[in-house]
Amino acid sequence: MKIPVLSVCTSFLLSACQLSETAVELVPMPLDPHSYADPAEAVVTHLSLNITSVDFDAHMLQAIATLTFDCHQADTLRLDTYGLEIQDVRATGEGFGEEVLRFAAGRQDEILGTELLIFPDRTVDGSYTITIWYKTNPDAKALQWLSPEQTNGKTHPFLFTQSQAILARTWIPLQDSPGIRFTYDAKVQAPEGLMAVMSASNPQVLSEDSRYAFEMKQPIPSYLMALTVGDLRFQSTGPRTGVYAEPAILEASAWEFGETEALIQAAEALYGPYQWERYDLLVLPPSFPFGGMENPRLTFLTPTVIAGDRSLVALIAHELAHSWSGNLVTNGTWNDFWINEGFTVYFENRIMEAVYGADYAAMLQALSHSDLTAEVADFMKNAPNDTKLAIDLVGRNPDDGVTTIAYDKGFHFLRLIEHTVGRDAFDAFLKDYFASYTFQSMTTDRFMGHLRASLLTDAQWEEIGGEEWIFGTGLPSNCPVVEPSYFTVVDAAATRFLSDGTLPTETDKWNTHQWLRFMNALEGLTAEQVMTLDRSFHFTQSGNSEIFAAWAVLATRSGFRDMALDEKMSQFLYRVGRRKFLTPIYKALVEANRKDLALIIYQQARPGYHAVAQETLDKLLGYKG
Ligand code: BES
Ligand code: ZN
């Protein structure tokens, strides 16, 4: 039986919602285990941020944050902070005379940081505004301060932020929980000659006095707060798209991402209008720890996707898809991370299918499937519970949930649902999902309730094993698989090479993904086979970072030792900070009994890595500083 669709409940807690007669949703929002905020008492609705100094010498932001709360009998306001130096707090709303407010540090935790307690001088109801004067710590994890040498132009320093998952609190005192949304405006006083851009309305030219003003009119969760300051220029690529990058790489970037408008149109045709007006891209220096980050209106990108042939634009499709899955409908807590990423990989794949064809999309599905099976097998040995979509990250760093499980198991679960109900029905369901839950939080339970109420019959839910997919470990046996035509020739070539050493021919037209598949299929090569391959295909010299990184892993695992490769590998590890490449290369070195080399490189390269990459690699290499 279908139950009528669903409440529009904008309040954080169900108990605080006015349930209408058709509102049958009975899934309360859980409290966020990664935030000190108490949304029953007060929720931030608007942030006005004034960054008065971006100090590249001291690695410090000096700032003033004005927060407007919606309060319910609040006598204490609880904010998340991490390493911030709070200088002054005042009540600044209308009718308040800038009274100084008492504040204190509350609970403290290595992962969560410090609870900032602020005490209004009376119990407050309704709107209440405070202003906090503060500065950041030089070690603030969200901030990466780059020296000129770490940039393309080598002449100006550079700063970027990475707030997801719980690092916004290291540069802004706020309720750092994905279940709480606020609008924001900001002012930034940049050093002379540098441009500032944010996840908001942005400048397109340098300002003469280096002052910049920003506005984000749609309510966003804190992890989407983002800022970059550097020697940036803008180039338009379409009516609502453009690229920001350092001058030296602006043109190459604008060419590589010249088809973004086509991706947006494909996305809109699938799941409804793009809600954020402009969609620009910001190409960062290579130490950016991720492939991309879906900061609203301005996706942050690694330069390692500039392959020169547009072969890695699936990453743009991914970050763009987050403009719906993630930025409109947001994971309720970090335990629900697959709600962001699984949906986004699904949506990304549908965009790629629409623009580049079903075969191309099938190729990406197959790569996702092989990454997933490898990682599931790995996790099942030591941490089987981490293979659950409904992961439990209480007491842990939410970064532990950033694995192929959320992405690829989530993706395959959604594909299975699509296959079960048919594409038309699933598309209608998703379109309605994004419309109905716009600017709201989505938890695993809430999604499950919605899915069973409005799409799947009980029999279908049983048939696909919905419970097992969401709450079980491992990969269910009904996980969909594909055999993309792009890989037929590649798989045959790999088999032939493994059996009699015949080298593949007519590889000129192979794309990046085909090469990755080829290398995936070559488990257990001898060092000699590796040398033969490199002589023909020059992977060691590849400027394509996906191909180079896969090659470095394959060659290292084979026991191949080669000066040229070692040299390239260390250059790559010094220059590139993208964790997805660093982790497997360092791991391969360790497993090939070359931990000494790994540590020598790491020691030197580490200061150039972002804190999130440092944390992962410190653990992997047992590095203690
Ligand atoms: N939002 C993520 C990046 C992220 C996740 C940062 C969790 C911090 C915590 C982004 O959308 C992403 O998934 N990036 C991927 C792209 C890829 C899957 C196409 C990446 O960086 O590799
Ligand atoms: Zn993502």
Side-chain angles (χ1 to χ4, degrees), residues 491-624:
D491 291 346
T495 310
R496 215 171 321 121
F497 178 72
L498 285 172
S499 70
D500 64 8
T502 309
L503 288 164
T505 53
E506 296 178 37
T507 52
D508 304 2
K509 293 197 191 68
W510 282 18
N511 63 37
T512 304
H513 309 289
Q514 289 174 300
W515 282 115
L516 292 178
R517 169 74 166 211
F518 181 67
M519 292 192 206
N520 273 345
L522 298 181
E523 270 298 312
L525 288 190
T526 64
E528 207 169 316
Q529 286 172 310
V530 162
M531 199 157 69
T532 311
L533 282 176
D534 204 27
R535 281 218 194 100
S536 302
F537 300 113
H538 313 290
F539 297 124
T540 298
Q541 307 302 327
S542 176
N544 180 313
S545 52
E546 290 279 354
I547 291 176
F548 177 79
W551 174 248
V553 170
L554 181 77
T556 303
R557 284 219 193 112
S558 77
F560 178 65
R561 300 277 176 111
D562 176 63
M563 292 257 291
L565 178 62
D566 283 0
E567 178 75 29
K568 286 280 175 196
M569 205 152 49
S570 52
Q571 279 170 9
F572 185 86
L573 294 172
Y574 289 135
R575 188 171 53 86
V576 175
R578 186 173 172 192
R579 184 168 67 174
K580 172 187 156 191
F581 296 145
L582 302 184
T583 310
I585 297 177
Y586 279 111
K587 200 163 165 209
L589 282 169
V590 171
E591 284 167 3
N593 290 323
R594 305 185 77 191
K595 191 168 173 184
D596 293 356
L597 176 67
L599 276 171
I600 291 170
I601 297 174
Y602 185 56
Q603 206 137 20
Q604 278 205 50
R606 188 179 183 278
Y609 295 156
H610 187 279
V612 299
Q614 290 178 349
E615 274 175 36
T616 305
L617 296 169
D618 285 355
K619 240 186 256 164
L620 177 74
L621 298 170
Y623 181 87
K624 300 245 160 48

Side-chain angles (χ1 to χ4, degrees), residues 151-154 158 231-233 244-250 283 285:
T151 67
N152 267 286
K154 313 274 181 227
F158 199 100
D231 184 22
L232 295 173
R233 297 292 184 280
Y244 294 85
E246 288 185 71
I249 56 164
L250 185 60
V283 182

Side-chain angles (χ1 to χ4, degrees), residues 32-36 80-83 109-114 140-142 162-172 174-179 222-224 290 293 331 333-335 337 393 395-400 402 610 612 615:
D32 180 355
H34 294 105
S35 169
Y36 294 120
D80 296 298
T81 69
Y82 199 123
D109 179 272
E110 209 188 312
I111 296 167
L112 304 182
T114 305
K141 291 184 198 207
Q162 168 58 43
S163 295
Q164 195 181 10
I166 55 168
L167 303 181
R169 63 191 69 178
T170 71
W171 67 289
I172 312 171
L174 37 61
Q175 293 179 316
D176 196 9
S177 169
S222 57
Y223 75 88
L224 297 176
F290 295 106
M293 177 64 214
N331 52 205
T333 73
W334 298 113
N335 286 343
F337 183 55
L393 295 167
R396 299 172 66 184
N397 192 324
D399 203 41
D400 291 355
V402 185
H610 187 279
V612 299
E615 274 175 36

Side-chain angles (χ1 to χ4, degrees), residues 5 37 41 108 188 196 213 258 344 375 414 434 491 506 518 551 582:
V5 193
E41 215 175 2
Q108 229 149 7
V188 176
T344 296
E375 191 145 305
L414 296 176
F434 291 122
D491 291 346
E506 296 178 37
F518 181 67
W551 174 248
L582 302 184

